[in-house]
């Protein structure tokens, strides 16, 4: 390039600069005009943010920001995640009422065997920012209650004609292939090839895969690459990018799946990180999903992932001769459970386990969280932490499937509870149960909170720990027992209402078989001489954990969400009450809550019990063989940094015994030197990753 060409290039560059400035000015004018039109349309009495969003090409949150009057009047009551301990404004303690339980015998609670308390997890995904008219995140939230009188008593009657029974059929196995969309490596049975996937669109992947494997392959697991995120930088939310990828052009003859069978679903699942796409061509079916539903592949190649699925099937077959791996661990877990339902004539529950009424299922769905998620920040913890220690409960949920509530629950009003003897009250709290309670934190309390308090916003639950603070909530018997009998100081609990089930063992055989498979696979992962087989066995063990974890979550049976797509310009076809979840150049993606289905295997009372017992055991549980109590309450006050479901993050390294059994605390991460206390989730996960990486490189103890 000479001087003349260089100067000519500069002149052209300046012209482009001026063109861009002109276009930006024009774009700003168009956007301002659009915003004025939105605000004018918002004045219409029946205006709806969900309708305006696709027409404007904006998110619902952006519409609400322009027209705050379209914001909902109350906070969403969607399924909640667990909480951050944002302190609430203390209320004045209420006068005692009938049903108060203040002083029960200080006998150690058997929290590891206690089931009781519900709670589903919140759906992933961005939510619109808080707008005018919405309660401030962290404000107290009122939970539903059982109506008084005959109406409330009617809630306890199970759903007529709906019971869980042992199936009399065997699922049809679906052939699988495993695809790394980064490298193009595809593995099917013993065949391994490298494909040209182009730009990794749905059409390119389907075309390339079925040019290599037979049409009988119905399930493609993506082991790496996340092709649904290929255009993430072109969309305001990750969910929009996933929806756009799923709804992209298809090869000739292919359409979105519409048929449905016992083990085959229809339509797409739009999930930010683990979506499921389903298509068909005549009688040929294709499902693309992430292997991350089962386990983090941790860099494993597709052949190793295939070996992990083979090992998983082999070890489950030791316990279930008719096992078939379904699309997800949740589907597989619940199917395996149904094959443990008593079938012998005359056996108790051989006629099936009753399904709770829709009212009780809705109550359980709304009145508790799942795992405890909480970040404690300064001044609750020091600004500079002396060290960082992560203690994770191994395969924790397997420890809490010993007993569960079955049959029609007994409603226990405050007056009924108050009329019982102390022994009857104690027995009720140790049985599978779910309680509406008023809680008062004792004066002088200086440790973490024990019971979840409902709050507004994404967090949904907080754990108040300020002495004298009073709040109303729902909790399972395991957590109520812990609050009354914790090793530090009893809390004051007033029983307002409750549900009490007969204790039985519907999950025991299922969880025991899964635990045995998990133990066998972990042993292979430690002793096998082939590194690839060791890795495959470790992944298969993680898959067993997912089967139990998500199988329990599946019992919770959240309200059914229907997802659909409507061509842009036909927004009037979007169902009333549907929520817009994504907008592309051609389609609007929406979802609608259609309530609870008649699912014969819906048992939120069982999921509730496991989750409640796990939250209680996170605070205090007994290792009987070692004669030692472990958990957060057995660490010094002020030493707890965070909770994450089954893990405690602390500044203390307690050296609790570890034998590799379910429920025991494994030292999983460690930073031995001072670090700044995290004040955001991003900072927390940065330290978590650093602690795990450092711990993995430390020499093993001699």
């Amino acid at each position: 390039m000479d001087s003349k060409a260089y100067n000519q290039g500069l002149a052209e560059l300046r012209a482009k600069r001026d063109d861009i400035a002109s276009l930006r000015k024009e774009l700003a004018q168009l956007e301002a005009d659009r915003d004025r039109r939105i605000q004018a349309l918002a004045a219409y009495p029946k205006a709806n943010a969900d309708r305006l969003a696709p027409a404007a090409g904006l998110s619902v949150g952006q519409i609400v920001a322009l027209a705050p009057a379209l914001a909902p009047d109350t906070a969403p009551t969607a399924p909640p995640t667990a909480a951050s301990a944002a302190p609430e404004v203390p209320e004045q303690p209420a006068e005692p009422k009938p049903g108060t339980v203040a002083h029960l015998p200080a006998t150690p609670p058997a929290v590891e065997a206690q089931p009781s308390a519900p709670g589903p997890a919140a759906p992933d995904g961005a939510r619109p920012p808080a707008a005018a008219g919405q309660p401030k995140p962290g404000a107290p939230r009122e939970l539903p209650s059982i109506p008084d009188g005959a109406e409330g008593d009617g809630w306890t009657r199970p759903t007529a004609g709906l019971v869980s029974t042992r199936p009399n059929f065997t699922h049809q196995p679906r052939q699988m292939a495993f695809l790394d969309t980064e490298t193009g490596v595809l593995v099917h049975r013993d065949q391994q090839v490298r494909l040209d996937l182009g730009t990794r669109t749905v059409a390119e992947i389907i075309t390339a895969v079925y040019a290599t494997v037979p049409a009988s392959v119905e399930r493609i697991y993506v082991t790496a690459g996340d092709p649904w995120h290929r255009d993430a930088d072109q969309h305001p939310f990750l969910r929009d990018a996933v929806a756009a990828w799923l709804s992209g052009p298809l090869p000739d003859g292919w359409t979105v799946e519409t048929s449905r069978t016992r083990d085959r679903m229809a339509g797409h699942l739009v999930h930010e990180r683990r979506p499921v796409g389903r298509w068909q061509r005549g009688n040929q079916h294709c499902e693309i999903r992430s292997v991350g539903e089962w386990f983090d592949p941790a860099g494993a190649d597709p052949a190793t992932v295939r070996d992990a699925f083979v090992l998983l099937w082999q070890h489950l077959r030791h316990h279930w001769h008719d096992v078939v791996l379904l699309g997800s661990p949740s589907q597989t877990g619940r199917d395996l459970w149904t094959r443990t339902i008593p079938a012998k004539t005359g056996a108790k529950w051989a006629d099936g386990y009753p399904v709770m009424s829709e009212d009780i299922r809705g109550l359980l769905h709304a009145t508790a969280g799942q795992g405890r998620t909480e970040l404690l920040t300064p001044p609750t913890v020091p600004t500079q932490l002396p060290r960082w220690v992560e203690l994770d409960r191994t395969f924790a949920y397997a420890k809490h499937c010993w007993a569960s509530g079955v049959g029609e629950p007994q409603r226990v009003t405050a007056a009924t509870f108050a009329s019982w003897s102390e022994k009857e009250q104690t027995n009720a709290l140790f049985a599978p149960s779910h309680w509406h309670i008023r809680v008062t934190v004792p004066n002088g309390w200086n440790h973490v909170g024990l019971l979840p308090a409902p709050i507004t916003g994404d967090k949904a639950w907080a754990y108040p720990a300020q002495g004298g603070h009073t709040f109303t909530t729902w909790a399972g018997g395991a957590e109520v027992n812990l609050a009354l009998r914790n090793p530090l100081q009893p809390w004051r609990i007033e029983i307002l209402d409750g549900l009490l089930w007969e204790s039985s063992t519907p999950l025991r055989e299922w969880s025991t078989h899964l635990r045995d498979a998990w133990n066998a696979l972990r042993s292979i992962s430690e002793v096998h001489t082939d590194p690839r087989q060791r890795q495959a066995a470790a992944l298969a063990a993680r898959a067993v954990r997912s089967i139990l974890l998500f199988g329990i979550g599946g019992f919770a049976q959240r309200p059914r969400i229907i997802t659909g797509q409507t061509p842009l310009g036909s927004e009037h076809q979007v169902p009333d009450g549907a929520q817009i979840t994504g907008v592309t150049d051609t389609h609007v993606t929406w979802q609608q809550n259609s309530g609870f289905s008649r699912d014969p295997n819906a048992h939120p009372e069982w999921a509730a019990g496991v989750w409640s017992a796990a939250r209680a055991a996170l605070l205090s549980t007994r290792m009987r063989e070692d004669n030692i109590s472990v958990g957060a309450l057995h660490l010094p006050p002020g030493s707890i940094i965070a909770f994450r479901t089954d893990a405690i993050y602390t500044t203390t390294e307690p050296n609790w015994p570890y034998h590799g059994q379910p429920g025991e605390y494994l030292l999983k991460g460690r930073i031995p030197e001072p670090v700044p206390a995290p004040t955001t989730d991003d900072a927390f996960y940065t330290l978590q990753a650093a602690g795990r990486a450092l711990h993995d490189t430390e020499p093993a103890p001699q």
Side-chain angles (χ1 to χ4, degrees):
M1 178 181 293
D2 55 19
S3 176
K4 181 179 179 181
Y6 178 72
N7 289 330
Q8 178 64 28
L10 288 177
E12 293 173 353
L13 190 60
R14 283 190 286 268
K16 291 295 181 186
R17 176 200 63 196
D18 294 340
D19 289 343
I20 291 171
S22 176
L23 288 172
R24 281 179 175 162
K25 183 178 179 181
E26 183 179 353
L27 176 62
Q29 291 172 343
L30 289 170
E31 288 178 336
D33 182 54
R34 177 202 61 194
D35 294 348
R36 284 192 295 271
R37 291 173 182 269
I38 290 171
Q39 290 164 342
L41 290 170
Y44 177 58
K46 295 183 179 180
N48 184 297
D50 284 343
R51 298 287 188 176
L52 285 171
L58 298 176
S59 70
V60 173
Q62 291 169 313
I63 294 293
V64 169
L66 288 167
L70 298 182
D73 294 331
T74 58
T77 56
T81 34
S84 151
E88 300 179 29
V89 178
E91 304 171 9
Q92 292 300 317
E95 289 299 315
K97 294 183 179 181
T100 297
V101 179
H103 303 289
L104 289 181
T107 53
V111 293
E112 61 267 39
Q114 280 293 316
S116 334
D124 292 334
R127 294 189 183 182
Q134 289 182 292
K136 182 180 179 181
R141 172 170 55 91
E142 184 176 354
L143 294 177
S145 58
I146 304 175
D148 293 332
E151 181 187 355
D153 294 340
W155 280 27
T156 63
R157 287 191 288 273
T159 303
L162 197 62
V163 293
S164 304
T165 56
R166 194 183 189 109
N168 57 4
F169 62 88
T170 300
H171 286 297
Q172 177 68 34
R174 309 291 177 188
Q175 286 196 42
M176 309 176 191
F178 302 89
L179 176 65
D180 182 333
T181 60
E182 288 182 345
T183 64
V185 172
L186 174 76
V187 171
H188 170 242
R189 297 186 182 274
D190 295 329
Q191 177 187 13
Q192 178 170 314
V193 296
R194 189 178 297 273
L195 306 178
D196 180 1
L197 300 178
T199 59
R200 302 185 300 158
T201 64
V202 169
E204 289 169 317
I205 290 174
I206 289 178
T207 300
V209 168
Y210 286 108
T212 305
V213 303
S216 55
V217 172
E218 295 191 23
R219 194 170 292 145
I220 302 169
Y221 281 111
V222 173
T223 64
D226 296 346
W228 35 82
H229 294 161
R230 58 189 286 275
D231 294 326
D233 58 343
Q234 300 177 23
H235 297 270
F237 300 106
L238 203 55
R239 190 183 188 92
D240 294 342
V242 173
W245 185 82
L246 290 170
S247 59
L250 296 172
D252 289 344
W254 285 90
T255 61
V256 176
E257 174 80 86
T258 57
S259 61
R260 183 187 296 265
T261 63
R262 288 190 180 103
D263 60 343
R264 181 191 289 126
M265 306 298 287
H268 302 321
L269 170 64
V270 182
H271 187 281
E272 285 74 13
R273 303 195 180 277
R274 297 183 298 278
V276 181
R278 302 181 179 100
W279 301 271
Q280 67 183 78
R281 180 173 59 181
N283 293 325
Q284 182 181 356
H285 302 273
C286 173
E287 186 176 73
I288 298 179
R289 58 199 311 156
S290 171
V291 79
E293 294 180 81
W294 293 85
F295 47 72
D296 178 358
D301 58 49
T304 302
V305 173
R306 174 207 56 201
D307 291 347
F309 274 82
V310 172
L311 284 171
L312 173 64
W313 178 82
Q314 290 174 339
H315 281 77
L316 292 177
R317 197 167 185 270
H318 293 326
H319 306 285
W320 288 277
H321 71 278
D322 53 355
V323 59
V324 172
L325 298 181
L326 304 183
S328 71
S330 175
Q331 289 175 281
T332 305
R334 286 214 297 169
D335 178 66
L336 293 178
W337 170 75
T338 62
R339 299 172 193 279
T340 66
I341 297 174
K344 185 177 180 181
T345 303
K348 193 166 187 180
W349 307 113
D351 293 333
Y353 293 106
V355 174
M356 297 299 100
S357 70
E358 189 167 320
D359 294 313
I360 292 296
R361 281 181 277 159
L363 179 75
L364 292 171
H365 174 70
T367 56
Q370 189 173 338
R372 180 169 180 167
T373 301
E374 182 180 17
L375 178 63
L376 303 172
T377 57
T380 304
V381 297
T383 303
Q384 191 77 0
L385 305 175
R387 67 183 62 80
W388 172 276
V389 177
E390 178 184 359
L391 302 166
D392 184 63
R393 293 187 74 217
T394 298
F395 203 19
Y397 285 3
K399 185 76 172 176
H400 305 295
C401 294
W402 190 254
S404 302
V406 295
E408 180 176 338
Q410 175 188 358
R411 183 183 181 183
V412 182
T413 64
T416 300
F417 190 87
S419 70
W420 286 350
S421 67
E422 186 176 280
K423 181 178 180 181
E424 288 173 321
Q425 292 180 350
T426 300
N427 289 342
L429 291 173
F430 274 106
S433 51
H434 189 50
W435 302 98
H436 195 192
I437 54 178
R438 183 175 291 116
V439 182
T440 301
V441 183
N443 291 323
W445 183 261
N446 68 344
H447 219 294
V448 297
L450 304 185
L451 292 165
I455 59 173
T456 58
D458 286 348
K459 295 298 184 183
W461 301 96
Y463 291 81
Q466 181 180 353
H469 180 78
T470 296
F471 60 96
T472 300
T473 191
W474 284 82
E479 293 167 286
V480 174
N481 267 313
L482 179 76
L484 291 168
R485 299 177 175 85
N486 71 80
L488 303 179
Q489 187 178 0
W491 284 32
R492 180 182 166 202
I493 307 293
E494 179 187 344
I495 301 294
L496 305 176
D497 209 342
L499 296 168
L500 180 63
W501 283 271
E502 176 184 342
S503 182
S504 189
T505 59
L507 302 180
R508 185 184 298 181
E509 181 182 350
W510 174 71
S511 63
T512 300
H513 288 340
L514 291 175
R515 185 185 62 197
D516 291 345
W518 174 79
N519 271 323
L521 288 163
R522 287 183 74 240
S523 296
I524 295 173
S525 72
E526 294 169 356
V527 302
H528 203 289
T529 56
D530 184 342
R532 169 171 281 180
Q533 287 301 302
R534 286 202 303 270
Q535 184 180 21
L539 296 178
R542 297 292 292 177
V544 173
R545 176 184 179 275
S546 295
I547 288 173
L548 185 131
L549 180 71
F550 294 114
I552 289 171
F555 286 122
Q557 198 231 12
R558 299 169 182 86
R560 186 172 49 181
I561 303 297
I562 297 175
T563 300
Q565 289 184 327
T566 300
L568 209 60
S570 300
E571 293 85 358
H572 62 280
Q573 297 178 6
V574 176
D576 290 338
Q579 177 186 1
I580 305 300
T581 59
V583 180
T584 69
D585 292 340
T586 59
H587 285 83
V588 174
T589 303
W590 51 266
Q591 67 179 22
Q592 184 179 34
N593 184 334
S594 65
F596 292 98
S597 65
R598 282 184 61 84
D599 182 352
N601 298 322
H603 290 285
E605 68 278 13
W606 298 349
V610 172
W611 291 335
S612 174
R615 289 193 300 268
L618 193 65
L619 298 171
S620 180
T621 191
R622 186 78 178 166
M623 296 181 67
R624 290 187 173 86
E625 293 181 358
D626 296 281
N627 194 31
I628 183 175
S629 293
V630 298
L633 295 182
H634 301 280
L635 297 172
S639 68
I640 306 299
I641 306 165
F643 295 100
R644 284 296 185 275
T645 308
D646 297 322
I648 299 172
Y649 297 81
T650 176
T651 59
T652 301
E653 191 168 341
N655 295 319
W656 290 329
Y658 183 73
H659 312 292
Q661 294 305 305
E664 296 179 346
Y665 281 93
L666 170 68
L667 177 61
K668 197 170 183 178
R670 181 173 177 270
I671 302 176
E673 64 267 4
V675 294
T679 57
T680 65
D681 285 344
D682 286 345
F684 166 83
Y685 287 118
T686 297
L687 285 173
Q688 180 194 66
R692 291 178 179 180
L694 185 60
H695 179 63
D696 289 343
T697 60
E698 290 181 341
Q702 301 297 316

